[in-house]
Amino acid sequence: MKRFEQTWRWYGPNDPVSLQDIRQAGATGVVTALHQIPHGEVWPVSAILERKEIIEAAGLTWSVVESVPVHEAIKTRRSDATNYVDNYKKTLENLASCGVYVITYNFMPVLDWTRTELGLELPNGAKALYFNWTDLAVFDIYILNRKGAVDDYSQEVVTEAKIRFEKYSEAELEDLTRVILMGIPSEKDISIADLKDSLKVYQEIGLEGLLSNLLWFLGEIKDVCESNGIQMALHPDDPPYPILGLPRIAGNKEDYLKIINGVDRPFNGICFCSGSLGAGVDNDVVEIAAAVKHRVHFAHFRNVKKDRMGNFFEADHLDGDVNMPAVLRIFIEENQKRIKPIPFRPDHGHQMLDDLNKVTNPGYSAIGRLRGLAELRGLELGLITLM
């Protein structure tokens, strides 16, 4: 039976995890992006080829772009949005001309991801990324001072947030702010005032407006994608529910079906992230996989553990609330229908062993992902043996 393509995210030449490390881990494909190019600018062919040559010289393949950022002007459909769409289309053409066809992106307003702690210590001493509603409420109500924020949380969370805010030191509050603001993709430092301005814009756009803007964007790039063989893979919202009053449009099965059917063409697909979707208290990740499998162009496999309030940490890949064997079985069956195998990567990983003493990108240390890739590879092979 056909196996998945095993890939690994790499942040480029400055990533502390090297291409040699990736090859030793057993991955054959690299997932990367030209992070040095400001959002909204065209990726030149020369820069794409330079990155591709570095990857291929290491004996690997550039399999997926993650990500070509969608400029805020497009998400908000600002008056100058068409200029940024034209740049996006040119970037897609340039990538295709260099033989790179799978493009991951997201349409999350302002924040690409949100956590409240980057190093939750687990019982075995490893560290994981963590999201806690009470800490988010501390930031939202007392640091951001967002109008009406208190109404977006349960009374239990509001009460605990007040206690926690009064207990936290200035340094702890500053660290919480730093961690949350890390989720804003920007070439410059973002202030609380900047965040407040962005929130106001999206309050006016709302949920339906943001969905409409996404479908407009997909309609604008459709011809370029189809004529160049580009597959667009939309990453789910992370976490998959509204935060800080921001609308979220890609957090569950119904959301994804609206998007798929809204521009019902094969190029319009999904980056299936089992961890992001698994953080949703009401999400059945196996059910979502079965419903959208035909449009999955790329997959992130990771796991989470949630408590009764919806707080979650990123668990071992095979030891969380997501039924990973059932998810993989669905995609193994789907993979047999594909001309090219579905690429996946172990998403995030615990900071553990020697990596505890290293500075790495949050969630992207080497050893935790190495363990995740090994576990997923073994699970896939075991399931195939039984099928």
Side-chain angles (χ1 to χ4, degrees):
M1 296 182 76
K2 188 184 301 176
R3 303 282 300 276
F4 298 131
E5 181 186 6
Q6 299 171 26
T7 70
W8 187 284
R9 189 169 190 180
W10 184 58
Y11 281 89
N14 295 325
D15 194 326
V17 180
S18 70
L19 290 172
Q20 184 180 46
D21 295 336
I22 294 171
R23 192 171 181 185
Q24 289 178 11
T28 59
V30 169
V31 177
T32 191
L34 303 185
H35 299 288
Q36 73 274 20
I37 297 178
H39 295 177
E41 291 189 9
V42 175
W43 290 14
V45 168
S46 59
I48 297 169
L49 287 176
E50 180 182 13
R51 178 62 58 85
K52 188 181 182 191
E53 288 166 2
I54 292 171
I55 293 169
E56 291 178 350
L60 298 160
T61 301
W62 188 354
S63 302
V64 179
V65 177
E66 188 174 357
S67 301
V68 179
V70 179
H71 197 277
E72 286 294 306
I74 297 173
K75 294 177 186 178
T76 60
R77 204 166 175 180
R78 214 167 59 193
S79 59
D80 57 345
T82 301
N83 296 332
Y84 289 102
V85 171
D86 289 342
N87 286 353
Y88 205 98
K89 290 192 286 189
K90 184 59 180 174
T91 293
L92 295 180
E93 290 174 345
N94 289 349
L95 284 164
S97 73
C98 297
V100 185
Y101 301 102
V102 181
I103 315 298
T104 304
Y105 73 108
N106 75 70
F107 220 76
M108 285 180 261
V110 187
L111 295 152
D112 271 8
W113 56 277
T114 304
R115 299 293 184 273
T116 56
E117 187 175 345
L118 302 181
L120 176 71
E121 186 164 340
L122 303 176
N124 65 2
K127 293 181 178 180
L129 303 182
Y130 179 53
F131 178 89
N132 182 277
W133 277 110
T134 302
D135 276 335
L136 184 71
V138 169
F139 173 80
D140 197 4
I141 298 169
Y142 296 103
I143 300 174
L144 185 61
N145 292 312
R146 180 172 64 89
K147 184 179 179 180
V150 69
D151 298 326
D152 288 345
Y153 302 93
S154 69
Q155 187 56 54
E156 182 180 1
V157 168
V158 170
T159 301
E160 179 58 32
K162 185 175 187 297
I163 296 170
R164 198 170 291 187
F165 172 71
E166 293 171 349
K167 182 183 70 174
Y168 277 168
S169 67
E170 196 65 34
E172 288 172 319
L173 293 173
E174 288 177 0
D175 188 59
L176 175 62
T177 299
R178 178 187 62 83
V179 170
I180 291 174
L181 293 183
M182 281 182 70
I184 301 176
S186 176
E187 293 84 27
K188 67 180 183 70
D189 291 337
I190 296 293
S191 68
I192 293 295
D194 294 329
L195 178 55
K196 283 184 175 180
D197 289 342
S198 297
L199 295 181
K200 289 177 184 176
V201 172
Y202 282 99
Q203 280 180 341
E204 296 176 3
I205 293 172
L207 186 69
E208 292 303 319
L210 186 60
L211 176 60
S212 175
N213 291 350
L214 170 58
L215 298 180
W216 167 77
F217 168 65
L218 290 170
E220 289 292 305
I221 65 172
K222 175 175 68 69
D223 291 344
V224 167
C225 290
E226 293 185 334
S227 61
N228 288 277
I230 291 286
Q231 296 179 318
M232 298 295 294
L234 177 66
H235 190 283
D237 298 333
D238 185 13
Y241 26 69
I243 58 171
L244 307 182
L246 290 166
R248 300 289 215 183
I249 58 172
N252 53 47
K253 182 180 77 172
E254 290 71 25
D255 288 346
Y256 263 132
L257 290 176
K258 284 181 183 178
I259 293 165
I260 289 172
N261 296 329
V263 180
D264 193 10
R265 308 289 295 182
F267 85 91
N268 176 25
I270 292 167
C271 170
F272 187 90
C273 181
S274 58
S276 293
L277 294 167
V281 174
D282 297 323
N283 279 347
D284 182 330
V285 180
V286 177
E287 180 184 4
I288 298 172
V292 303
K293 61 185 179 181
H294 61 294
R295 286 289 181 85
V296 171
H297 299 322
F298 178 42
H300 293 173
F301 293 137
R302 66 176 167 89
N303 223 321
V304 294
K305 281 193 176 180
K306 305 181 292 290
D307 64 18
R308 66 177 181 83
M309 296 178 67
N311 306 316
F312 67 88
F313 69 90
E314 300 192 354
D316 290 330
H317 285 73
L318 303 187
D319 183 33
D321 296 334
V322 176
N323 184 343
M324 199 63 75
V327 170
L328 253 64
R329 180 182 288 274
I330 288 169
F331 287 116
I332 289 169
E333 292 174 350
E334 175 65 23
N335 200 38
Q336 307 315 306
K337 304 173 185 177
R338 303 293 181 93
I339 297 172
K340 292 184 178 180
I342 299 170
F344 86 91
R345 66 173 177 84
D347 192 20
H348 299 178
H350 291 162
Q351 195 171 4
M352 58 194 299
L353 302 177
D354 290 351
D355 282 342
L356 288 168
N357 301 314
K358 298 175 183 176
V359 177
T360 57
N361 293 304
Y364 289 97
S365 55
I367 299 173
R369 286 186 291 162
L370 171 64
R371 175 181 175 179
L373 180 60
E375 290 178 342
L376 293 165
R377 180 191 296 128
L379 177 58
E380 180 195 17
L381 182 59
L383 289 169
I384 286 175
T385 302
L386 295 173
M387 291 170 73

